[in-house]
Amino acid sequence: MEGSSGKSILQFAPFQSSVDEGFWHRLSSLKLNKFGIDDSPIPITGFYAPCSHSQVSNHLTLLAESLPSDSSEESEVPEISRGNRNRCSAPGILYNTNTVERFHGLDKQGLLKAEAQKIWEDIHNGRALEDSSVLSRFLLISFADLKKWSFHYWFAFPALVLDPPATLVDLRPASQCFSLEEAESLSAAFNEWRNSSLTADVPFFLVQIDTNSHATIKHLKDWETCQSADGHKLLFGFYDPCHLPNNPGWPLRNFLALICSRWDIKSVHFLCYRENRGFADLGLSLVGEALITVPQGGRDHPYVPNAVGWELNKGRKIPRGISLAKSMDPTRLAISAADLNLKLMRWRALPSLNLNSLSSLKCLLLGAGTLGCQVARTLMAWGVRRITLVDNGRVAMSNPLRQSLYTLDDCLNGGEFKATAAVNSLKRIFPAVEARGVVMAIPMPGHPVPSQEEQTVLNDCRSLHDLIDSHDVVFLLTDTRESRWLPSLLCANTNKITITAALGFDSFLVMRHGAGPFSSSHDSKAEAANSLSADMSNLGLTDRDGGKRLGCYFCNDVVAPIDSTSNRTLDQQCTVTRPGLAPIASALAVELLVGILHHPHGIFAEGDVLNSSNSESSEQPLGILPHQIRGSLAQFSQMTLVGHSSDSCTACCSTVVSEYRKRGMEFILQAINHPTYLEDLTGLTELMKSASSFELDWDNGTDEDDDDCV
């Protein structure tokens, strides 16, 4: 590349700014919690680095740490760790106004001149030689509209204007200006300078090359010793953020003003230091020669040159603006923060995680007690945003310690309805949740209905039917067996994903119900048509030919559900369990749901057993997908089981579902009022009669070999 043969005015590439969102977050916090209406100037720190790419310039960047800490009592420059080769610190000043009118009315030229005067004073009093970063001093004015979370701002990078301007004699790549020995020595010297914690972020320096082609980099304060060395090449170097091949970067302007003012040098050889992958790149770096003239009175301290430096916005002298409503409004910020863990899962652990499917999933929780509270919280942690809770109970004084969504206030004045209090609590925890509470009793077999209440019970049945039909997933979390019967029937009829969690004193059962008896292509297509989520509609639409259906909660029973609440002592009326049991069962219930959603066969997936030989299960992103999980705190153990559907099940067999489809509410009312009706319908009555007709012959003989058998 040929250098410029003629003289022309030296032109500089302007600094460019970049503001990280964290800066605005910190500024908003300081404005709200500390500064208030105080609009005093705030010292800040910007960061830049030498150009490291042939096509991209580096910007002066503001980060959260550019501002003072929230805890500091006074507006002080934050302590910045020095020695970071990736960033040089530059001192700045922030004027944050209280109104947008004040922002537009600021004396911008006066502010720029005041900062330029500081640079000029630092040059004359020698501070710039001790800390050369002051030559890159900058100015920022801003207005923060915290109601709309929008910001107006404008950067200025004050540059002292030489009059007459500097003229360019020569400018070319540094690689063309040095011999091979000089280039090798210079590169080694630069790398040593950049790798030292004492000099890595010193942006202005002297480059000296002796007669033996040995290069040395020195501080500006060493000027006198460098000047006395005869026969040595001397260049004025600086970290150049600009990538342009024919223009030096903005920092050179104030550097030339220092050279002109303090040392009265007319011909300046400068080096624009640039890098490639962290090492000196002499092909990208530039070496130039400029002629400068000391202006009239330029060496006098009271004299202050003119200054320029307001940053252009798309070629115009206007401020910039940014809206961060999506990330800085507390509700939206809560959404972003809540999803952070889930998004990080997709990096490595679970790339197939479908957050849109989870967020659009509609979950119905039947029961807002100990299990319901825990399940709701865990669902939100998985990104589920649409939750409906059904319960007709009120919050009692004994509830808040075990049921995590309630407080003492919910117990006062007779107690708030659990469904209502739970929804209010969920919204306080996470304002973006779409939670709904339904106060409703679930009709139950074995609890006969008086004639005057029949219409109310039938309305409840219809409401429950509509709720199940409008949701994608149903959790059965009620206290009694019989309260799970009607939901199990309705879920089998509509082929809904159904999860049951039940507690004993120190044991629990968590299980997923199998697909309904008529979950063939006809009903699956109906389910897909009714689903609001395209992802949900694909779950369980593949018929598992030849595979036996998994059972529901009632498939192992040989009797119909009956009244389990009457004639009970207090400890039998309450759910008496070890306190740690419910969180375990609730977490497993939600994890079971997520496993279903990520299994290719969805609701039709076969039941996996721990340590089974089924290789397909181990290949799933979340591991095995069991049918039942039974756990015991007494033994600190749990096991996975598989139970297939029963042809005599009182809730999900084809006989019961067919009868419900034929007779509707009339069938439900008969099942509720007549305890033996379901047993007669499913053949359990005949089965029990057949069993009781057998005479069991016991071998009363003894054998010594049997003594050890139990």
Side-chain angles (χ1 to χ4, degrees):
M1 169 182 171
E2 293 292 329
S4 305
S5 57
K7 298 179 181 178
S8 60
I9 294 177
L10 181 58
Q11 296 182 327
F12 310 85
F15 242 137
Q16 300 178 46
S17 65
S18 174
V19 185
D20 185 79
E21 281 192 16
F23 177 87
W24 301 121
H25 281 257
R26 173 73 67 83
L27 178 60
S28 300
S29 177
L30 288 169
K31 181 68 176 175
L32 289 171
N33 303 320
K34 180 179 177 183
F35 297 149
I37 61 173
D38 183 6
D39 59 356
S40 302
I42 307 167
I44 58 176
T45 304
F47 305 100
Y48 73 97
C51 172
S52 56
H53 194 284
S54 61
Q55 300 297 321
V56 181
S57 296
N58 279 334
H59 296 186
L60 184 135
T61 303
L62 295 186
L63 308 172
E65 62 192 88
S66 297
L67 284 160
S69 170
D70 289 347
S71 59
S72 62
E73 296 183 359
E74 298 181 2
S75 297
E76 298 178 349
V77 179
E79 293 186 5
I80 303 300
S81 59
R82 301 188 64 86
N84 188 335
R85 61 174 295 121
N86 295 318
R87 63 185 196 188
C88 301
S89 59
I93 196 78
L94 167 65
Y95 291 86
N96 186 55
T97 64
N98 287 315
T99 66
V100 68
E101 292 81 7
R102 172 66 175 157
F103 170 80
H104 290 296
L106 285 173
D107 181 7
K108 299 175 182 60
Q109 192 58 35
L111 293 174
L112 180 67
K113 187 173 182 179
E115 294 305 306
Q117 184 171 354
K118 295 178 184 177
I119 297 174
W120 187 248
E121 290 175 353
D122 289 336
I123 290 174
H124 276 270
N125 61 28
R127 183 185 175 192
L129 301 181
E130 298 293 333
D131 180 11
S132 61
S133 67
V134 297
L135 295 176
S136 301
R137 189 185 298 273
F138 69 97
L139 166 69
L140 173 64
I141 61 174
S142 67
F143 166 69
D145 185 347
L146 300 184
K147 185 176 182 180
K148 298 180 180 178
W149 298 110
S150 62
F151 300 84
H152 303 267
Y153 66 98
W154 202 344
F155 277 86
F157 303 99
L160 300 171
V161 177
L162 297 179
D163 186 16
T167 56
L168 181 65
V169 177
D170 188 32
L171 184 68
R172 64 184 66 198
S175 58
Q176 299 181 13
C177 300
F178 303 107
S179 66
L180 181 61
E181 293 79 11
E182 290 174 337
E184 290 179 353
S185 179
L186 186 59
S187 296
F190 270 130
N191 293 333
E192 181 180 356
W193 179 270
R194 293 284 287 151
N195 288 328
S196 171
S197 61
L198 299 177
T199 57
D201 65 345
V202 177
F204 299 89
F205 43 84
L206 302 172
V207 179
Q208 186 180 46
I209 303 177
D210 62 20
T211 55
N212 295 323
S213 301
H214 178 71
T216 307
I217 301 177
K218 297 186 177 182
H219 292 276
L220 297 184
K221 61 184 179 181
D222 297 326
W223 157 255
E224 298 293 341
T225 58
C226 293
Q227 187 184 28
S228 61
D230 294 332
H232 291 192
K233 293 182 181 179
L234 182 64
L235 297 94
F236 296 88
F238 70 100
Y239 292 162
D240 189 357
C242 173
H243 77 281
L244 299 177
N246 299 316
N247 299 93
W250 199 254
L252 180 59
R253 297 196 67 146
N254 290 335
F255 199 12
L256 290 178
L258 179 147
I259 296 169
C260 172
S261 175
R262 291 196 64 89
W263 299 320
D264 194 19
I265 298 176
K266 296 181 180 179
S267 178
V268 178
H269 292 81
F270 58 88
L271 188 150
C272 308
Y273 175 78
R274 302 172 182 179
E275 292 183 341
N276 183 16
R277 298 181 180 178
F279 296 95
D281 187 340
L282 298 185
L284 186 59
S285 300
L286 302 176
V287 169
E289 179 183 2
L291 299 180
I292 55 179
T293 303
V294 178
Q296 185 85 21
R299 297 178 65 86
D300 298 331
H301 178 63
Y303 170 85
V304 179
N306 292 327
V308 295
W310 284 104
E311 186 179 26
L312 299 181
N313 182 9
K314 298 179 180 178
R316 301 169 59 193
K317 287 187 176 182
I318 57 174
R320 300 173 185 265
I322 185 173
S323 175
L324 298 181
K326 291 183 179 179
S327 63
M328 296 193 69
D329 175 79
T331 300
R332 296 183 181 181
L333 188 59
I335 296 174
S336 176
D339 289 340
L340 177 62
N341 183 56
L342 298 174
K343 291 179 180 179
L344 292 178
M345 285 185 187
R346 299 178 64 177
W347 284 16
R348 298 176 190 269
L350 190 60
S352 61
L353 179 62
N354 191 333
L355 296 182
N356 292 331
S357 175
L358 286 166
S359 63
S360 63
L361 197 68
K362 295 181 179 180
C363 291
L364 177 63
L365 278 57
L366 302 181
T370 309
L371 289 168
C373 291
Q374 295 288 347
V375 167
R377 292 291 299 263
T378 311
L379 284 172
M380 289 201 305
W382 264 109
V384 175
R385 300 291 178 255
R386 301 179 181 183
I387 299 173
T388 301
L389 295 108
V390 176
D391 202 300
N392 72 327
R394 292 182 179 270
V395 183
M397 286 290 182
S398 61
N399 293 154
L401 290 177
R402 297 178 296 111
Q403 302 177 10
S404 60
L405 294 180
Y406 308 128
T407 65
L408 179 63
D409 291 341
D410 299 319
C411 308
L412 304 179
N413 302 318
E416 183 72 68
F417 280 110
K418 285 186 175 182
T420 304
V423 167
N424 293 336
S425 181
L426 290 176
K427 291 182 177 179
R428 285 193 299 270
I429 294 168
F430 185 62
V433 68
E434 297 179 29
R436 175 190 173 199
V438 178
V439 180
M440 186 186 73
I442 299 176
M444 300 177 286
H447 295 253
V449 180
S451 58
Q452 64 270 23
E453 297 179 9
E454 280 189 3
Q455 194 57 46
T456 301
V457 172
L458 290 176
N459 289 338
D460 288 341
C461 292
R462 296 186 184 97
S463 297
L464 183 61
H465 174 274
D466 294 341
L467 284 169
I468 290 175
D469 194 53
S470 61
H471 287 75
D472 304 306
V473 180
V474 180
F475 284 88
L476 306 186
L477 310 169
T478 53
D479 289 338
T480 63
R481 287 182 57 80
E482 61 266 31
S483 60
R484 303 169 192 260
W485 174 79
L486 182 56
S488 296
L489 167 62
L490 297 177
C491 290
N493 178 57
T494 54
N495 199 37
K496 295 289 183 179
I497 296 177
T498 309
I499 308 289
T500 285
L503 305 177
F505 167 66
D506 57 7
S507 61
F508 66 84
L509 165 68
V510 175
M511 66 176 295
R512 58 186 175 100
H513 292 205
F518 302 112
S519 54
S520 59
S521 59
H522 176 272
D523 289 301
S524 296
K525 290 177 180 177
E527 176 191 354
N530 291 331
S531 176
L532 298 180
S533 168
D535 295 308
M536 281 299 303
S537 67
N538 293 327
L539 292 172
L541 298 187
T542 305
D543 195 8
R544 302 282 284 170
D545 295 332
K548 189 168 178 59
R549 263 193 327 121
L550 295 178
C552 77
Y553 181 68
F554 295 94
C555 278
N556 290 333
D557 291 357
V558 293
V559 294
I562 58 174
D563 183 2
S564 63
T565 60
S566 299
N567 195 26
R568 293 291 190 270
T569 60
L570 181 61
D571 64 317
Q572 294 172 322
Q573 296 174 26
C574 300
T575 306
V576 179
T577 67
R578 291 174 62 166
L581 204 63
I584 297 172
S586 301
L588 289 173
V590 177
E591 295 296 326
L592 197 58
L593 166 65
V594 178
I596 296 172
L597 299 179
H598 285 81
H599 197 285
H601 301 300
I603 194 174
F604 292 99
E606 296 179 355
D608 297 326
V609 178
L610 187 63
N611 299 325
S612 68
S613 59
N614 186 358
S615 60
E616 181 183 3
S617 63
S618 61
E619 297 174 357
Q620 299 307 318
L622 291 174
I624 69 170
L625 181 60
H627 175 225
Q628 299 180 23
I629 307 169
R630 294 180 180 267
S632 168
L633 273 184
Q635 299 177 346
F636 283 93
S637 65
Q638 67 182 41
M639 55 184 171
T640 55
L641 302 172
V642 176
H644 292 110
S645 60
S646 168
D647 294 337
S648 301
C649 177
T650 57
C652 77
C653 73
S654 58
T655 303
V656 172
V657 176
S658 296
E659 196 69 14
Y660 167 69
R661 291 187 174 187
K662 292 177 184 177
R663 300 174 57 201
M665 294 303 155
E666 180 186 354
F667 162 76
I668 293 177
L669 201 58
Q670 186 172 359
I672 291 173
N673 289 328
H674 298 86
T676 63
Y677 170 65
L678 290 174
E679 296 174 357
D680 296 339
L681 177 66
T682 58
L684 287 177
T685 303
E686 291 300 321
L687 179 63
M688 287 185 286
K689 288 181 179 179
S690 299
S692 62
S693 66
F694 284 101
E695 291 283 333
L696 297 179
D697 296 330
W698 295 92
D699 184 1
N700 292 323
T702 60
D703 191 300
E704 292 183 358
D705 293 337
D706 295 334
D707 289 344
D708 294 332
C709 298
V710 178

